[in-house]
Structures are given as C-alpha cells and as structure tokens.
Amino acid sequence: MDLSYSDEQVMLRDSAERFVAANCGADNLRKMRASEEGFSRAYWKQMAELGWLALPFTEDQGGLGGTAVDTNVLMEAFGRGLLLEPYLTTVVMGGGALKAAGGRDDLIGKIIEGDLLLAVAYAEPQARFDLFDVATTARKDGSGWVIDGHKAVVLHGDSADKIIVSARTSGDRRGKDGISLFIIDRGAAGLERRAYPTVDGSRAAELFFNSVKVGADALQGGEGQGLAILEKVSDDAITALCAEAVGAMKVLLDTTVEYTKTREQFGQPIAKFQVLRHRMADMMMEYEQAKSMALVAALKVDSADPVERRKAVSGAKVQIGKSGRFVGQQAVQLHGGMGMTDELSVGHYFKRLTMIDILFGNVDHHLKQFSAAA
Amino acid sequence: MDLSFTPEEIAFQNEVRAWMAANFPADLRAKVETGEKLYKADLLRWQKILAAKGWIAPAWPVEHGGPGWTPTQRYIYANEMALAGAPDLPAFGLKMVGPVIYTYGNEEQKRRFLPRILGGEDWWCQGYSEPGSGSDLASLKTKAVSDGDDYIVNGSKIWTTGAHDSDWIFCLVRTDDTGKKQDGISFLLIDMKTPGIEVSPIIVINGDHTVNQVFFTDVRAPKKNLIGKENEGWTYAKFLLVNERNGIAQVGHKKHTLRRIRKLASATDMHGGRLADEPGYRQRLAETEVALMALEYSELRFLSGQKTDHAPGTEANMMKVAATQLQQSMSELFIEIAGYYSFPYDGFRDKKGSNEPPVGPAEAGGAMFDFLYGRAATIYGGSNEIQRDVIAKVLLSI
C-alpha cells in the first residue's frame, strides 16, 4: 500500500499552490466579489494554459486522463487560496456531466481551451438535497423539447455560457425514473435569470425556464437517463469539495496557531493558555481526520461497488461537515474580534466551509445516505 | 415554593400583552419576522413609544423614570415583549451607562444625562476594548491627562458598536500607570462631537457595519463628565459588565426564535416529508428546547435570589456561557431551514428603500446573516473562555 503522492501529483500540487499564493487569497476575493462575474477571466485562461482544465478528461477528449486523486490535489490548493474561478461548476460538474453522457467531445474540447463555462442547474426550491426531486418539466415538441421550471441557487449560473439542466420527461415529482438532462445556451429565449452574490464571495443565480424551446440534440445521455449522471456529478463534486475544505482547514489551523503565538494578553502569548492549546490540538485532529476521509472519497468515488462508493463519499461529506464546522468556528473564536472582520482571511474561509457543509447535502443528509447504504 | 404567577401578576401580563398588540407597529413586527435589518430610525421610533408609556427602563429606580416593577414583573415584561417580536433597543444607554450614572454619578450628571437616555435624545456607545486589550481589558492604554478643568484623551477604542450613530461614548481611560493596572482606570463620558474623535467603520463577517474603531487625538473632555472618582473606574466598569451579562440570557427572544424555527421547519420540505420530522433535526430541536428550559429556570432561580452552590457570585458568568452557546446552536438550526437559500448574500437587507424581494423564502431571511454575526456572542462581553476562568477561580478558591 502506498498513500503518498506520485512525483506528478507533487508537481501539480506545487504549481497550484504557487498559482494561488501569487494570485488568490482574501485580498483577491474582496476585489473580485465586487466585479460583475465574481472571478477573473484572465486567471481562467492561465488555468487552461497550465492544463488544469484538461485534467479529468480522457486523452481521446484532449484531456490528461487524471484521476479523482489528481483533481483533489488541485482542489486542496484551490481551497487554501480561496480560488474563485468556476473550476467546480465547469470542469468537475459540467464537464463531468458531458463526459458521463457522452457524445459532446466538441464541448469538452472547448472547456479544455478555456472557451466554455458551464453551470449545472440541479437544485429546486422544494427539492433541497434530493437530486431526483424534479418539478421542472421537458415535454416533447416536434423533434425537440419545451422546458418549464425554476432552478434554485445555480452556482455561477450568471456567467455560464451553457446550462445543463435536469428536467422531468416522465413520472412524478419525486420519481427516480424519468429525469433527463438538457444543455441550453445562456441566451435561449424564455430563460430568465436573477443573479446575486453568495456569502462566500462567489456568485449564483435563480434560473427560470419559461417554455424554453430546445432541439433534439440538447438532450444529453438519453431520455430518462439523467439521474445516474447527476448522481455521479454530485459525488465527484462532493469529493472535490472535500479536498477544497481540507485546504481551507489547513490555512485556518496554520493561521490560528500563528496568531495565538503572537497575540499577547495578560503579559503572554495567548498560545500559552492551556484551554487554547487543547482547542488547537482538537482542531488539528479534526483536520487530519477530514484529510483522511477526503482521500477515501477520492480513492473510491469511481468504485464499481455502489455501496463502497456511497459510504466513502457520504462518509467523507459527514466528516468534512463536522470538522469544517469545528475548525472554522474555533478559528474565528481564537482570533477574537479580529476573526469576525471582513479584513482578515479567517472569516472568508469559515464562510466557505459553512457553504461546503450545505452543498450537495449537509451532515444529516449524508448520515442518512451512509446508513441506508450500509 | 410556587411557580405560578399571582392574580396581580397575571393581570399585569395581560396588560402588557394587550398594550403590545395595540401599540407595537406592524411594519416593525414584519421586519423582525423576516430578519430584516433595523436601523436607528426604526429603533428610535419604538423607543419613543415605550418612553411615552413609561416602560422604557424597567430596572431603573422610580425617581429616575423607572416603572417601579418587581423582579417578577420585569421578567414578565421582558418575556412578553420578546414573544411579541419586539426588537431589543441598544443596551449602551438604557442598560449600561444609565445604571452607572444613577448609581455612581453626581446630581448634575443624573439631571443632565438620564432623561435624554430615556427619551432617546442621546445615543451611547461603549469605549472599553482596545486593539491591544481585549480579554485583558484592564491593560487598556487610552490615556487621559489632566489639563485644568479638562482631560486630554489620546488612544483608540475598538469593536465600538454603533459609534457611527452615537452622541456620546462612555470610556475607560488610563489616568495613572504607576500601580496595579486595575487601579489607574477612570470612567469618562465624552461627547462624540468633540474635535479629535474619528470613527472608522469595521466591516464584519456578514458584510454589515455595526462596529467601529474610534480614534482619540488630543480630545478635550471636561472633568465634570468623569463618573465617581478618578482611578476608581474599574469598579464602575465591573458593575456595568455584570449588568451587561445579566440581561444576556434573553430567554424571551430565544423562545420567540425557537417558535419561528419550529414553525418554519414544520413547513419545510425534506426527503419527501418535513424537515421538523427528520430524526436528526427533530432530536437537535428537542435538545435545544431542553437547553432553553434549563436556561430559563436557572434565570428564574437566580432572579429569586438563589446563588450557585459552588461558586456564588458567578451566576451572570454562567448565564453568559450557556446563553451564547444556545444562541449559536439555534442559529445552526435556522440555516438548515434555509438550506441552499442561506447562500445568497442578502446585502439588500442593508439597502434602505430597496424594493427587491429577497432571494428564496422571505421567512428564512437573515438566517446566514445572523448565524455569522452570532459567532461574536462567545467573544464579546468577555469571551466564554474568560467567563470560565472567572467561574473556575471562585469554584477553586484560587
């Protein structure tokens, strides 16, 4: 057994860490969140040139044939740097959906070049974390389809060039069959969006499909075949988010250790107080266990055994949710009033971790998934 | 021992309830129910209604404008107000400096300041913490040097809530640095319009502007605005901190919030049923309710004059820790209701006159906003680590 990174993975990590150290962080976030798209197109181009947008795609598709562990190497560095570019939504989710559906390697090529941004519109107001709870409908219209519905909190739904949307082609709202995926241009007639900033400094949108007409070629992966693809996309996204969270936790732990060693009260560094020392020891243990579980998810997300995959991914999400909450909250607490400010980076990492806990299902949701799989 | 209220107390409860139903403005109620931000103008309007009724300062002595209620009446009043959704008014004048002035101030100070606190003509802020003096408050360095009838004040205060809305600040200043650090502190009232005062906003984690850093550069503060004796300010400061912590349990507000959480969770979809029926959520909701009962009945015991068995005098410290932890776990229950709709950064709550509706269900509005700012509760007013130190010192007699 060998759980250490390969030389290539170490190189990838170093290059990603150099990139985020030079370009990202809280200062960049404060600047970007006031911008229209919430991220930098220039950085996105650089990420394409570095080959990162090609990482998970096959060599036939023009990609690098990377594994989930490779993606996690990148995501952990992104988490350390509060990177804002839409890697998760375009490459992991959108690209992942196209890869699973097959037949649109032309679009994957454009992703790799940095010329195509995607968003996956899966959530609905009533659905919460159930991917199969789909009220949005697609009905046959000649050879094409007409889509109606409301998709909630679509990450980067404002800047994406194309939207991949789940819609019901048959069955009841909560039926597991009859869900299909469609790809739609941002400018399609009848597609309305209400865009807004999110608490972590990124952006999202409500998407309203008002009798949006699409051609037959908009259907991805076959009629009624959408749920399995969405579940894979969701698991890949969870795996990537777990790695991002590990990166964020690492920074919080390092920053807190550093701060308590320099901040003096009662004539000594506050790191001398036993209650804070034990708190930081707990933070470290949470971090390490989160890191282990993020690795488990990456190693098993592509497993052919559905139980093994479910337990790894949901287990990791539970651990990351709990650890992220503890590490984030205690990092703020130990920074005192300063931890509450927009000026320090601590609060930004804490907010991102809070969002990651909710994304694709919180601790309760994944405990339920985990125990159902066992 | 009798838990039930007397007929007179029940009559009083009904009176408060009826008056609230008739006089608490509906638009303010609506803002509170949707978690919208309340501005000074909103709070001032409510303050003036309460002041006209004579209910603005329940704990104040009658001669200074209090209603002369018993502790039980005050408890009933606070509870009814909170359950009706009435917002808390800033504590700095009414619950902090007001009691310091009528307890330790001279006659002229009482005449001059107290009526204006009650009527809301003067808004106050608190100059305690400094960049280098947080948990170790007594190490504060803002200096007041005697110069004829004035002090010349230099230094800086931080985390000053509402400084940008305030007319006056009560400050702990150093008037002697030769002895023990607690011994050279004085309690000084300073007019915020005095030249040399600069208020610099601090934007906090939820994007809101509530706190500030206040800079004093050669600020001339008349000595007649010194409370009590020079160098004895630490005594008044501690008196004030105990008062601050006494009100901190906020049982009524927590009941109101829990009622809102229960109602919303019962109407929120989850896994094809309701969030309130999910086993995990249901259990945490019940645990929270038990914790709230424990808080409420501890408050009632202490209110009726009981002390803790092992560390008498630390009741307020204990309540501060228990109440703030409970507040934070309640805010976690709240963001679970909002789910994905806790993501939108609702900066619009801070835009006066915006007509844009919130993103997502209005009832869950402000969930993330309050969750994030609520992290401060275990830090301010003496961090929970400091409270436990105080309790442990008494408990272990060290």
Side-chain angles (χ1 to χ4, degrees):
Chain A
M1 186 183 295
D2 182 10
L3 291 179
S4 56
Y5 287 148
S6 68
D7 290 347
E8 288 79 10
Q9 286 166 337
V10 170
M11 278 169 59
L12 182 65
R13 184 191 65 195
D14 291 350
S15 116
E17 285 184 357
R18 273 197 306 275
F19 181 87
V20 298
N23 300 309
C24 304
D27 287 340
N28 176 65
L29 183 146
R30 275 188 294 270
K31 192 174 67 189
M32 281 302 163
R33 72 179 169 196
S35 70
E36 201 186 321
E37 294 192 314
F39 66 92
S40 159
R41 293 267 178 178
Y43 290 176
W44 190 248
K45 270 287 172 197
Q46 286 180 49
M47 290 167 72
E49 283 156 19
L50 285 160
W52 297 346
L53 309 189
L55 190 63
F57 303 111
T58 65
E59 288 176 21
D60 287 348
Q61 291 164 330
L64 300 174
T67 63
V69 175
D70 295 325
T71 300
N72 275 25
V73 168
L74 267 189
M75 288 302 296
E76 192 176 320
F78 294 169
R80 294 180 70 163
L82 294 168
L83 180 126
L84 293 164
E85 282 60 40
Y87 194 86
L88 180 80
T89 51
T90 294
V91 178
V92 179
M93 294 171 64
L98 293 178
K99 192 174 156 184
R104 291 307 302 264
D105 287 356
D106 58 323
L107 294 182
I108 288 176
K110 283 188 170 179
I111 291 174
I112 291 170
E113 293 301 314
D115 292 332
L116 178 68
L117 298 180
L118 295 177
V120 180
Y122 62 94
E124 297 190 0
Q126 83 291 340
R128 298 185 61 93
F129 308 129
D130 289 334
L131 298 169
F132 56 83
D133 189 327
V134 176
T136 298
T137 56
R139 61 185 162 78
K140 269 254 161 54
D141 176 51
S143 66
W145 303 85
V146 179
I147 299 173
D148 281 282
H150 170 193
K151 291 292 178 179
V153 198
V154 181
L155 303 180
H156 289 297
D158 54 342
S159 52
D161 301 303
K162 289 180 189 291
I163 310 289
I164 295 172
V165 59
S166 58
R168 189 161 284 292
T169 41
S170 68
D172 298 331
R173 195 195 95 201
R174 290 181 58 81
K176 295 202 174 179
D177 297 320
I179 297 165
S180 307
L181 297 185
F182 297 88
I183 189 160
I184 298 175
D185 283 340
R186 62 171 288 120
L191 173 55
E192 276 178 51
R193 64 175 64 76
R194 180 178 175 192
Y196 44 84
T198 51
V199 287
D200 61 345
S202 185
R203 294 188 65 80
E206 299 299 292
L207 297 183
F208 302 94
F209 296 82
N210 304 314
S211 300
V212 176
K213 289 187 179 196
V214 294
D217 61 346
L219 180 67
Q220 300 297 303
E223 187 178 337
Q225 304 301 308
L227 184 61
I229 297 173
L230 270 187
E231 284 174 344
K232 182 65 171 69
V233 165
S234 164
D235 282 354
D236 285 340
I238 288 170
T239 303
L241 284 169
C242 286
E244 186 192 334
V246 167
M249 280 186 248
K250 171 127 180 49
V251 174
L252 285 176
L253 182 55
D254 289 346
T255 310
T256 305
V257 166
E258 185 57 32
Y259 181 78
T260 57
K261 282 161 115 176
T262 50
R263 169 74 175 174
E264 292 196 4
Q265 290 285 273
F266 305 103
Q268 55 186 323
I270 61 173
K272 297 265 187 199
F273 295 106
Q274 192 175 38
V275 65
L276 303 192
R277 298 165 78 96
H278 285 189
R279 199 82 54 80
M280 286 184 279
D282 285 337
M283 288 168 75
M284 191 206 86
M285 293 187 281
E286 288 294 334
Y287 162 77
E288 290 295 337
Q289 290 174 86
K291 185 172 171 161
S292 305
M293 288 300 279
L295 188 63
V296 172
L299 290 169
K300 299 192 173 183
V301 66
D302 291 311
S303 167
D305 176 352
V307 174
E308 186 178 66
R309 170 177 140 192
R310 186 76 273 119
K311 289 180 87 167
V313 174
S314 285
K317 191 65 170 50
V318 168
Q319 182 69 48
I320 257 74
K322 288 184 166 180
S323 295
R325 181 176 299 187
F326 184 79
V327 172
Q329 293 182 350
Q330 294 308 325
V332 170
Q333 181 73 19
L334 268 55
H335 276 80
M338 287 309 293
M340 287 295 298
T341 62
D342 185 61
E343 183 192 343
L344 253 63
S345 66
V346 176
H348 299 289
Y349 288 101
F350 168 55
K351 284 190 274 191
R352 182 64 189 156
L353 285 171
T354 302
M355 266 182 64
I356 288 175
D357 176 26
I358 298 166
L359 269 169
F360 296 100
N362 60 9
V363 170
D364 273 5
H365 177 80
H366 282 285
L367 273 175
K368 208 166 183 170
Q369 306 291 310
F370 185 95
S371 65
Chain B
M1 193 173 286
D2 187 2
L3 249 182
S4 55
F5 292 139
T6 64
E8 293 77 22
E9 285 162 350
I10 290 170
F12 174 75
Q13 184 175 37
N14 290 333
E15 183 194 348
V16 174
R17 210 172 275 179
W19 185 85
M20 280 299 290
N23 294 283
F24 180 42
D27 60 320
L28 286 186
R29 185 193 306 264
K31 279 192 173 186
V32 171
E33 292 297 335
T34 53
E36 231 180 291
K37 179 176 164 121
L38 296 177
Y39 287 90
K40 180 177 175 178
D42 299 315
L43 296 171
L44 202 52
R45 182 152 62 97
W46 180 225
Q47 173 156 1
K48 292 204 182 283
I49 295 170
L50 285 173
K53 176 69 180 167
W55 287 359
I56 188 67
W60 286 29
V62 176
E63 69 262 36
H64 298 307
W69 290 336
T70 63
T72 308
Q73 281 181 303
R74 296 209 295 263
Y75 170 80
I76 290 171
Y77 173 76
N79 211 37
E80 289 300 321
M81 296 286 280
L83 287 175
D88 262 347
L89 293 166
F92 307 106
L94 291 163
K95 289 181 179 162
M96 293 185 177
V97 78
V100 167
I101 292 172
Y102 65 64
T103 308
Y104 299 105
N106 60 36
E107 289 311 311
E108 200 216 317
Q109 288 167 340
K110 291 180 202 174
R111 264 198 313 275
R112 178 169 176 206
F113 292 113
L114 295 179
R116 295 178 63 82
I117 291 174
L118 293 174
E121 285 87 5
D122 287 341
W123 275 46
W124 286 79
C125 58
Q126 178 183 27
Y128 270 36
S129 294
E130 296 182 5
S133 305
S135 289
D136 186 8
L137 180 61
S139 69
L140 60 95
K141 292 191 180 63
T142 294
K143 217 167 173 153
V145 178
S146 176
D147 183 54
D149 289 339
D150 299 330
Y151 289 108
I152 308 294
V153 181
N154 279 286
S156 167
K157 296 291 179 181
I158 198 165
W159 318 124
T160 319
T161 302
H164 53 298
D165 276 335
S166 292
D167 306 290
W168 285 80
I169 183 168
F170 55 93
C171 273
L172 295 182
V173 292
R174 183 152 303 283
T175 37
D176 186 353
D177 51 14
T178 55
K180 221 178 111 195
K181 60 187 177 183
Q182 287 84 355
D183 292 342
I185 293 170
S186 298
F187 196 106
L188 185 62
L189 315 179
I190 304 176
D191 186 336
M192 287 295 282
K193 288 184 291 295
T194 319
I197 297 181
E198 192 198 326
V199 176
S200 171
I202 298 174
I203 302 303
V204 291
I205 194 164
N206 63 357
D208 202 8
H209 171 209
T210 51
V211 296
N212 305 274
Q213 185 165 3
V214 183
F215 297 91
F216 300 85
T217 311
D218 295 329
V219 171
R220 195 164 275 278
K223 281 184 181 166
K224 64 174 183 181
N225 294 332
L226 178 79
I227 293 291
K229 293 198 182 107
E230 194 177 83
N231 295 334
E232 292 192 4
W234 190 246
T235 308
Y236 321 137
K238 282 195 298 186
F239 165 85
L240 183 148
L241 278 178
V242 169
N243 275 356
E244 178 184 0
R245 285 170 203 148
N246 269 337
I248 214 153
Q250 298 206 311
V251 168
H253 278 289
K254 291 187 174 63
K255 281 185 181 170
H256 181 252
T257 306
L258 201 61
R259 216 160 58 179
R260 216 177 132 199
I261 289 173
R262 189 172 283 288
K263 190 175 140 204
L264 289 171
S266 303
T268 299
D269 294 307
M270 187 69 166
H271 296 145
R274 297 291 183 224
L275 178 60
D277 296 325
E278 285 286 309
Y281 195 86
R282 195 189 173 96
Q283 176 162 341
R284 269 175 292 132
L285 196 55
E287 282 170 355
T288 304
E289 206 160 338
V290 172
L292 181 53
M293 279 173 78
L295 187 75
E296 178 176 19
Y297 285 94
S298 298
E299 186 180 50
L300 288 173
R301 269 178 59 219
F302 298 148
L303 207 63
S304 76
Q306 287 188 35
K307 302 278 181 200
T308 63
D309 287 342
H310 298 90
T314 61
E315 295 75 25
N317 307 91
M318 171 185 152
M319 295 302 280
K320 199 264 174 179
V321 173
T324 51
Q325 287 181 171
L326 179 57
Q327 176 202 318
Q328 291 179 342
S329 49
M330 283 171 65
S331 72
E332 288 179 14
L333 288 173
F334 217 140
I335 52 170
E336 280 195 51
I337 292 170
Y340 278 126
Y341 281 119
S342 61
F343 291 3
Y345 168 62
D346 39 6
F348 58 85
R349 298 170 78 245
D350 202 20
K351 280 182 204 135
K352 288 181 197 177
S354 167
N355 288 325
E356 209 170 346
V359 178
E363 317 82 68
M368 183 64 92
F369 197 80
D370 293 340
F371 165 79
L372 292 172
Y373 193 69
R375 299 311 307 175
T378 45
I379 297 170
Y380 60 55
S383 73
N384 285 17
E385 288 82 0
I386 292 292
Q387 307 295 342
R388 288 188 174 93
D389 271 347
V390 171
I391 293 169
K393 260 181 202 149
V394 181
L395 175 65
L396 305 168
S397 315
I398 47 173

Short mmCIF file of all heavy atoms in Angstrom, two decimals, chain A residues 44-45 48 53 57 61 90 98 104-118 161-162 185:
data_model
loop_
_atom_site.label_atom_id
_atom_site.label_comp_id
_atom_site.label_asym_id
_atom_site.label_seq_id
_atom_site.Cartn_x
_atom_site.Cartn_y
_atom_site.Cartn_z
N TRP A 44 -8.61 32.34 -15.52
CA TRP A 44 -9.20 31.14 -16.15
C TRP A 44 -8.36 30.71 -17.35
O TRP A 44 -8.10 29.52 -17.54
CB TRP A 44 -10.64 31.44 -16.55
CG TRP A 44 -11.40 30.22 -16.99
CD1 TRP A 44 -11.86 29.95 -18.24
CD2 TRP A 44 -11.81 29.12 -16.17
NE1 TRP A 44 -12.52 28.74 -18.25
CE2 TRP A 44 -12.50 28.21 -17.00
CE3 TRP A 44 -11.64 28.81 -14.82
CZ2 TRP A 44 -13.04 27.01 -16.52
CZ3 TRP A 44 -12.17 27.62 -14.34
CH2 TRP A 44 -12.86 26.74 -15.19
N LYS A 45 -7.93 31.69 -18.14
CA LYS A 45 -7.08 31.40 -19.31
C LYS A 45 -5.76 30.77 -18.87
O LYS A 45 -5.26 29.81 -19.47
CB LYS A 45 -6.82 32.69 -20.11
CG LYS A 45 -7.88 32.94 -21.18
CD LYS A 45 -7.70 31.96 -22.34
CE LYS A 45 -8.84 32.05 -23.35
NZ LYS A 45 -8.88 30.86 -24.24
N ALA A 48 -6.21 27.28 -17.99
CA ALA A 48 -6.28 26.46 -19.20
C ALA A 48 -4.86 26.16 -19.71
O ALA A 48 -4.53 25.01 -20.05
CB ALA A 48 -7.10 27.17 -20.28
N LEU A 53 -7.58 22.58 -16.77
CA LEU A 53 -8.95 22.38 -17.24
C LEU A 53 -9.07 21.07 -18.02
O LEU A 53 -10.16 20.57 -18.27
CB LEU A 53 -9.41 23.55 -18.10
CG LEU A 53 -9.23 24.96 -17.52
CD1 LEU A 53 -9.92 26.00 -18.40
CD2 LEU A 53 -9.74 25.05 -16.09
N PHE A 57 -10.31 14.82 -18.07
CA PHE A 57 -10.83 14.27 -19.33
C PHE A 57 -9.86 13.27 -19.93
O PHE A 57 -8.66 13.32 -19.67
CB PHE A 57 -11.15 15.41 -20.31
CG PHE A 57 -12.13 16.40 -19.73
CD1 PHE A 57 -11.73 17.69 -19.39
CD2 PHE A 57 -13.44 16.01 -19.47
CE1 PHE A 57 -12.63 18.58 -18.83
CE2 PHE A 57 -14.34 16.91 -18.90
CZ PHE A 57 -13.93 18.19 -18.59
N GLN A 61 -10.30 12.74 -25.51
CA GLN A 61 -11.04 14.01 -25.48
C GLN A 61 -10.10 15.22 -25.46
O GLN A 61 -10.55 16.36 -25.41
CB GLN A 61 -11.93 14.05 -24.22
CG GLN A 61 -13.08 13.06 -24.27
CD GLN A 61 -13.72 12.81 -22.92
OE1 GLN A 61 -13.07 12.89 -21.87
NE2 GLN A 61 -15.02 12.50 -22.93
N THR A 90 -17.63 24.25 -13.88
CA THR A 90 -17.37 24.00 -15.30
C THR A 90 -16.69 22.66 -15.56
O THR A 90 -17.14 21.86 -16.38
CB THR A 90 -16.52 25.14 -15.90
OG1 THR A 90 -17.30 26.33 -15.88
CG2 THR A 90 -16.12 24.84 -17.33
N LEU A 98 -20.99 16.00 -19.12
CA LEU A 98 -20.80 15.73 -20.55
C LEU A 98 -20.03 14.43 -20.76
O LEU A 98 -20.34 13.64 -21.66
CB LEU A 98 -20.06 16.90 -21.22
CG LEU A 98 -20.81 18.23 -21.29
CD1 LEU A 98 -19.93 19.30 -21.92
CD2 LEU A 98 -22.12 18.07 -22.07
N ARG A 104 -20.44 14.62 -26.70
CA ARG A 104 -20.17 16.04 -26.92
C ARG A 104 -18.71 16.38 -26.61
O ARG A 104 -18.42 17.33 -25.89
CB ARG A 104 -21.11 16.91 -26.06
CG ARG A 104 -22.57 16.90 -26.46
CD ARG A 104 -22.83 17.23 -27.94
NE ARG A 104 -22.34 18.51 -28.41
CZ ARG A 104 -23.07 19.62 -28.49
NH1 ARG A 104 -24.33 19.62 -28.12
NH2 ARG A 104 -22.55 20.73 -28.97
N ASP A 105 -17.81 15.61 -27.20
CA ASP A 105 -16.39 15.89 -27.00
C ASP A 105 -15.99 17.25 -27.57
O ASP A 105 -14.97 17.81 -27.18
CB ASP A 105 -15.54 14.77 -27.61
CG ASP A 105 -15.60 13.50 -26.77
OD1 ASP A 105 -16.24 13.54 -25.70
OD2 ASP A 105 -15.01 12.47 -27.19
N ASP A 106 -16.81 17.76 -28.51
CA ASP A 106 -16.53 19.11 -29.03
C ASP A 106 -16.61 20.14 -27.90
O ASP A 106 -15.77 21.04 -27.79
CB ASP A 106 -17.53 19.45 -30.15
CG ASP A 106 -18.97 19.40 -29.68
OD1 ASP A 106 -19.31 18.51 -28.86
OD2 ASP A 106 -19.77 20.27 -30.10
N LEU A 107 -17.63 19.97 -27.06
CA LEU A 107 -17.77 20.92 -25.94
C LEU A 107 -16.68 20.73 -24.90
O LEU A 107 -16.16 21.69 -24.32
CB LEU A 107 -19.16 20.77 -25.30
CG LEU A 107 -20.35 21.16 -26.18
CD1 LEU A 107 -21.66 21.00 -25.42
CD2 LEU A 107 -20.20 22.58 -26.71
N ILE A 108 -16.32 19.46 -24.66
CA ILE A 108 -15.22 19.20 -23.72
C ILE A 108 -13.94 19.86 -24.21
O ILE A 108 -13.19 20.45 -23.43
CB ILE A 108 -15.04 17.67 -23.51
CG1 ILE A 108 -16.23 17.15 -22.67
CG2 ILE A 108 -13.72 17.36 -22.83
CD1 ILE A 108 -16.25 15.64 -22.47
N GLY A 109 -13.73 19.80 -25.52
CA GLY A 109 -12.57 20.48 -26.11
C GLY A 109 -12.57 21.97 -25.80
O GLY A 109 -11.53 22.56 -25.49
N LYS A 110 -13.75 22.56 -25.87
CA LYS A 110 -13.84 23.99 -25.59
C LYS A 110 -13.59 24.30 -24.09
O LYS A 110 -13.01 25.33 -23.75
CB LYS A 110 -15.23 24.51 -25.97
CG LYS A 110 -15.41 24.69 -27.46
CD LYS A 110 -16.72 25.39 -27.74
CE LYS A 110 -16.79 25.80 -29.22
NZ LYS A 110 -18.06 26.45 -29.51
N ILE A 111 -14.06 23.39 -23.23
CA ILE A 111 -13.77 23.56 -21.80
C ILE A 111 -12.25 23.58 -21.60
O ILE A 111 -11.71 24.45 -20.91
CB ILE A 111 -14.39 22.41 -20.96
CG1 ILE A 111 -15.91 22.50 -20.96
CG2 ILE A 111 -13.87 22.47 -19.52
CD1 ILE A 111 -16.59 21.31 -20.28
N ILE A 112 -11.60 22.59 -22.19
CA ILE A 112 -10.15 22.45 -22.02
C ILE A 112 -9.41 23.71 -22.49
O ILE A 112 -8.45 24.15 -21.86
CB ILE A 112 -9.65 21.19 -22.78
CG1 ILE A 112 -10.18 19.93 -22.07
CG2 ILE A 112 -8.14 21.17 -22.88
CD1 ILE A 112 -9.96 18.64 -22.84
N GLU A 113 -9.92 24.31 -23.57
CA GLU A 113 -9.29 25.53 -24.10
C GLU A 113 -9.59 26.76 -23.23
O GLU A 113 -8.99 27.82 -23.42
CB GLU A 113 -9.81 25.81 -25.52
CG GLU A 113 -9.37 24.79 -26.56
CD GLU A 113 -7.86 24.69 -26.67
OE1 GLU A 113 -7.20 25.75 -26.73
OE2 GLU A 113 -7.33 23.56 -26.63
N GLY A 114 -10.53 26.61 -22.33
CA GLY A 114 -10.92 27.77 -21.51
C GLY A 114 -11.95 28.64 -22.21
O GLY A 114 -12.16 29.80 -21.82
N ASP A 115 -12.61 28.09 -23.23
CA ASP A 115 -13.54 28.89 -24.02
C ASP A 115 -15.01 28.61 -23.71
O ASP A 115 -15.90 29.16 -24.36
CB ASP A 115 -13.32 28.61 -25.52
CG ASP A 115 -11.97 29.15 -25.99
OD1 ASP A 115 -11.51 30.13 -25.38
OD2 ASP A 115 -11.40 28.58 -26.94
N LEU A 116 -15.26 27.73 -22.77
CA LEU A 116 -16.64 27.40 -22.45
C LEU A 116 -16.83 27.27 -20.94
O LEU A 116 -16.13 26.49 -20.29
CB LEU A 116 -17.04 26.06 -23.14
CG LEU A 116 -18.45 25.57 -22.85
CD1 LEU A 116 -19.50 26.48 -23.49
CD2 LEU A 116 -18.62 24.12 -23.34
N LEU A 117 -17.77 28.04 -20.41
CA LEU A 117 -18.12 27.93 -19.00
C LEU A 117 -19.48 27.26 -18.88
O LEU A 117 -20.40 27.57 -19.64
CB LEU A 117 -18.17 29.31 -18.34
CG LEU A 117 -16.88 30.12 -18.31
CD1 LEU A 117 -17.11 31.45 -17.62
CD2 LEU A 117 -15.77 29.34 -17.60
N LEU A 118 -19.58 26.34 -17.91
CA LEU A 118 -20.83 25.61 -17.72
C LEU A 118 -21.35 25.79 -16.30
O LEU A 118 -20.59 26.05 -15.37
CB LEU A 118 -20.62 24.11 -17.97
CG LEU A 118 -20.25 23.68 -19.39
CD1 LEU A 118 -20.02 22.17 -19.40
CD2 LEU A 118 -21.33 24.06 -20.39
N ASP A 161 -21.78 29.94 -20.07
CA ASP A 161 -22.20 30.05 -21.47
C ASP A 161 -23.34 29.09 -21.77
O ASP A 161 -24.19 29.37 -22.59
CB ASP A 161 -21.02 29.72 -22.40
CG ASP A 161 -19.85 30.64 -22.16
OD1 ASP A 161 -20.04 31.86 -22.27
OD2 ASP A 161 -18.75 30.14 -21.82
N LYS A 162 -23.28 27.95 -21.14
CA LYS A 162 -24.34 26.95 -21.32
C LYS A 162 -24.74 26.39 -19.96
O LYS A 162 -23.92 26.28 -19.05
CB LYS A 162 -23.86 25.80 -22.22
CG LYS A 162 -23.70 26.19 -23.70
CD LYS A 162 -23.22 24.99 -24.50
CE LYS A 162 -22.83 25.38 -25.92
NZ LYS A 162 -23.98 25.76 -26.75
N ASP A 185 -28.25 27.01 -24.23
CA ASP A 185 -27.45 28.23 -24.33
C ASP A 185 -27.94 29.28 -23.35
O ASP A 185 -29.13 29.38 -23.09
CB ASP A 185 -27.56 28.81 -25.75
CG ASP A 185 -26.71 28.04 -26.73
OD1 ASP A 185 -25.78 27.34 -26.28
OD2 ASP A 185 -27.01 28.11 -27.94
#
